[in-house]
Amino acid sequence: MEISAEQAVFSYAEAYRKLYNRTPRDLRAVDNDWVIVNGARMRVTELEYLTQQLQQEYRQGIEQKRNLVTRLINWFKQ
């Protein structure tokens, strides 16, 4: 399933905001196959891959926080 450049930009911006708590700079669609991200021109498929990487990092960060809280709770229960 191929997504449009605008959809890819929106998904990337959302994932970036969740991970870094700020909006990405210089992010725009050039045409249906190309986008600009931080001054670099890349294909939409590459942006989709970057979006997946950001989402994975976000999930890992949440999981690490969850594990830390669980360990603290268990420690306080002792």
Side-chain angles (χ1 to χ4, degrees), residues 1-12 29-35 43-45 47-48:
M1 182 176 122
E2 192 171 314
I3 65 172
S4 71
E6 290 80 20
Q7 290 171 323
V9 165
F10 178 77
S11 296
Y12 177 82
V30 175
D31 59 24
N32 214 23
D33 294 327
W34 293 93
V35 294
R43 292 197 176 273
V44 171
T45 54
L47 185 60
E48 289 179 74

Side-chain angles (χ1 to χ4, degrees), residues 15-74:
Y16 190 95
R17 263 187 244 108
K18 284 172 70 175
L19 184 60
Y20 297 115
N21 295 322
R22 65 175 192 247
T23 57
R25 287 184 267 155
D26 196 20
L27 177 63
R28 64 185 185 277
V30 175
D31 59 24
N32 214 23
D33 294 327
W34 293 93
V35 294
I36 301 287
V37 179
N38 295 330
R41 185 175 177 189
M42 64 179 64
R43 292 197 176 273
V44 171
T45 54
E46 295 169 325
L47 185 60
E48 289 179 74
Y49 177 76
L50 286 177
T51 302
Q52 291 172 0
Q53 294 299 316
L54 291 177
Q55 291 169 340
Q56 181 180 356
E57 287 181 43
Y58 178 76
R59 285 190 302 269
Q60 287 174 344
I62 294 295
E63 187 62 32
Q64 288 173 346
K65 289 176 186 176
R66 186 176 295 133
N67 288 339
L68 177 63
V69 169
T70 302
R71 286 195 322 239
L72 284 171
I73 290 171
N74 290 335

